[in-house]
């Protein structure tokens, strides 16, 4: 059964990385899929998405020409199931009744549900998000929960780790903390920079250093904060990385300091998949999937002091760090495996087609 996946983003972020990972995994497992993206999107970079990919004009959500362009592309693919991601793609996708095509909308956050009401069904990547959708008035029998899968740890290109070590001038006494995410308020990077400034110059004989993967509108403010706190020399701003695998391999720890509104937080899954001790905050997604002291060290949101203490404790206790890594690896195997999540989506598509499309 063919499915068409539509996203209207222009820049890369966590949702867009998931879009790439999900479609490529579907393709690798033999599922017939196609992608439709906004003209000029960063997602159109050659080699990023493996299944067939088309670009279409997606102006404002009120633009009748954009709606017509999306409708025409949907008809041309002939896919009986269309899955849209976030607001722009969903609002531009309107399927007429009786056409035998099912519209599944994937919400990636706690959005107002009004613009999503016209879809046939909705899917969320946490139970908390799905419960919230129902509380907002979406019918419970058409709201479905499926977690994201953890992407298997990818081997780095030959020589890449050595090149990164040289680029960063990594010394044996360094302890590299890696964080990843678009530089927007919900990601909470300012709390992590504050926490870094509160750490001692050395912990257990090693120097804490921070590598920031990502970009966004707050980058200038974050860099200014680092200078003001006197930690600019301890931070490497790596920018957006289409392939973050080498950076995760290089990390000694992964930190994820999001605010409460963070829905899931794929970085949690990436830390577990790459076998790195994780220190994160107790945002909504982490409260649902992370277990404090077992597979992650969890600090309150917005509390730089607690975040610093957590990082210092994990850095100073090798046994604790090893235990977090082992438990995180087990969580990936048990709850967040790629094949299992793809199976759940396949089952959901069949269910929806039985109800709406046949």
């Amino acid at each position: 059964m063919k499915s068409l996946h539509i996203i209207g983003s222009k820049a890369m972020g966590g949702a867009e990385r998931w879009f790439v990972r999900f479609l490529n995994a579907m393709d690798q497992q033999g599922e017939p899929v196609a992608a439709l993206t906004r003209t000029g999107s960063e997602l159109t970079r050659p080699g990023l998405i493996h299944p067939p990919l088309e670009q279409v004009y997606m102006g404002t959500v009120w633009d009748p020409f954009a709606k017509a362009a999306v409708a025409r592309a949907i008809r041309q693919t002939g896919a009986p199931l269309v899955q849209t991601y976030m607001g722009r793609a969903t609002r531009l996708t309107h399927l007429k009744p009786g056409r035998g095509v099912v519209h599944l909308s994937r919400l990636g956050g706690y959005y107002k549900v009004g613009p999503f009401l016209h879809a046939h069904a909705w899917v969320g990547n946490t139970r908390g998000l799905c419960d919230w959708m129902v509380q907002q008035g979406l019918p419970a029998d058409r709201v479905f929960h499926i977690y994201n899968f953890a992407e298997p740890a990818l081997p780095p290109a030959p020589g890449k780790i050595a090149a990164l070590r040289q680029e960063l001038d990594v010394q044996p006494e360094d302890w590299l903390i890696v964080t990843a995410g678009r530089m927007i308020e919900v990601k909470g990077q300012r709390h992590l920079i504050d926490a870094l400034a509160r750490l001692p110059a050395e912990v257990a004989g090693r120097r804490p250093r921070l590598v920031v993967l990502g970009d966004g509108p707050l980058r200038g403010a974050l860099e200014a904060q680092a200078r003001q706190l006197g930690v600019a020399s301890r931070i490497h701003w790596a920018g957006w990385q289409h392939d973050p695998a080498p950076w995760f391999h290089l990390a000694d720890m992964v930190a994820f300091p999001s605010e409460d509104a963070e829905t899931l937080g794929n970085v949690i899954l990436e830390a577990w998949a790459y076998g790195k001790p994780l220190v994160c905050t107790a945002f909504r997604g982490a409260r649902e999937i992370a277990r404090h002291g077992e597979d992650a060290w969890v600090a309150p949101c917005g509390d730089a002091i607690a975040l610093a203490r957590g990082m210092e404790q994990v850095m100073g206790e090798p046994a604790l760090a090893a235990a977090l890594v082992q438990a995180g690896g087990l969580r990936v195997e048990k709850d967040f495996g790629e094949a299992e999540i793809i199976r759940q989506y396949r089952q959901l598509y069949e269910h929806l087609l039985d109800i709406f499309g046949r």
Side-chain angles (χ1 to χ4, degrees):
M1 175 200 36
K2 184 176 183 180
S3 59
L4 172 64
H5 299 258
I6 307 177
I7 192 167
S9 310
K10 191 170 185 179
M12 291 294 293
E16 291 72 28
R17 282 198 61 211
W18 164 252
F19 184 85
V20 172
R21 289 165 52 199
F22 179 58
L23 263 66
N24 288 344
M26 290 276 282
D27 182 63
Q28 290 165 8
Q29 295 205 22
E31 295 295 320
V33 293
L36 188 65
T37 66
R38 182 179 179 180
T39 301
S41 168
E42 291 182 19
L43 286 161
T44 61
R45 186 174 68 88
L48 196 60
I49 295 176
H50 301 154
L53 170 66
E54 291 187 29
Q55 301 181 50
V56 69
Y57 170 67
M58 295 188 194
T60 69
V61 295
W62 302 281
D63 189 333
F65 295 101
K67 289 182 179 180
V70 171
R72 185 166 52 250
I74 291 172
R75 288 194 302 269
Q76 290 173 346
T77 64
L81 189 136
V82 175
Q83 181 166 322
T84 58
Y85 297 72
M86 301 184 295
R88 183 183 297 262
T90 299
R91 295 175 72 172
L92 290 175
T93 300
H94 285 264
L95 303 178
K96 294 182 179 180
R99 292 291 180 88
V101 182
V102 179
H103 180 189
L104 173 64
S105 177
R106 183 183 186 275
L107 278 71
Y110 290 79
Y111 313 138
K112 293 180 180 179
V113 299
F116 300 84
L117 290 173
H118 60 282
H120 295 108
W122 306 268
V123 62
N125 58 10
T126 66
R127 292 188 178 91
L129 177 57
C130 291
D131 291 344
W132 182 86
M133 288 189 233
V134 175
Q135 291 167 7
Q136 298 306 303
L138 297 183
D141 62 340
R142 289 193 277 147
V143 173
F144 301 90
H145 164 245
I146 303 179
Y147 281 125
N148 292 358
F149 60 78
E151 185 177 29
L154 303 175
K160 182 63 175 179
I161 299 298
L164 280 181
R165 286 186 178 278
Q166 184 174 8
E167 176 185 342
L168 300 178
D169 190 25
V170 177
Q171 302 299 315
E173 65 271 19
D174 290 335
W175 179 280
L176 289 186
I177 305 164
V178 169
T179 191
R182 184 162 166 73
M183 294 180 192
I184 53 179
E185 191 64 33
V186 73
K187 297 301 180 181
Q189 289 104 340
R190 62 189 178 94
H191 304 303
L192 181 56
I193 294 171
D194 191 356
L196 179 68
R198 295 173 184 274
L199 288 175
E202 291 188 1
V203 178
R206 301 182 71 177
R207 301 179 303 183
R209 294 178 60 189
L210 176 63
V211 176
V212 182
L213 309 182
D215 215 330
L218 294 183
R219 177 162 179 168
L222 293 171
E223 291 180 343
Q225 178 192 4
R227 290 192 296 270
Q228 183 180 9
L229 293 176
V231 294
S233 63
R234 297 163 61 187
I235 301 177
H236 178 79
W237 307 90
W240 180 260
Q241 299 294 318
H242 287 290
D243 179 17
W247 300 90
F248 282 117
H249 279 294
L250 190 63
D252 295 302
M253 173 194 293
V254 171
F256 197 49
S258 285
E259 303 281 9
D260 182 68
E262 180 77 64
T263 307
L264 173 63
N266 288 317
V267 174
I268 290 179
L269 305 182
E270 289 170 320
W272 288 344
Y274 281 86
K276 305 299 177 180
L278 169 69
V279 176
C280 66
T281 48
F283 57 85
R284 295 176 186 182
R287 293 199 299 272
E288 182 170 321
I289 68 173
R291 299 166 183 170
H292 174 61
E294 296 183 26
D295 48 42
W297 192 268
V298 184
C301 291
D303 190 337
I305 295 175
L307 189 61
R309 287 174 179 167
M311 291 193 294
E312 185 174 0
Q313 185 158 357
V314 173
M315 291 170 63
E317 298 184 24
L320 171 61
L324 297 180
V325 167
Q326 182 178 20
L330 292 175
R331 292 297 306 284
V332 168
E333 292 179 14
K334 180 181 178 183
D335 301 322
F336 303 101
E338 179 182 297
E340 172 59 20
I341 299 305
I342 297 299
R343 184 196 68 79
Q344 291 178 30
Y345 268 100
R346 185 187 303 119
Q347 187 177 54
L348 174 58
Y349 294 167
E350 292 288 349
H351 174 70
L352 294 176
L353 284 171
D354 285 341
I355 296 175
F356 298 106
R358 292 171 179 167

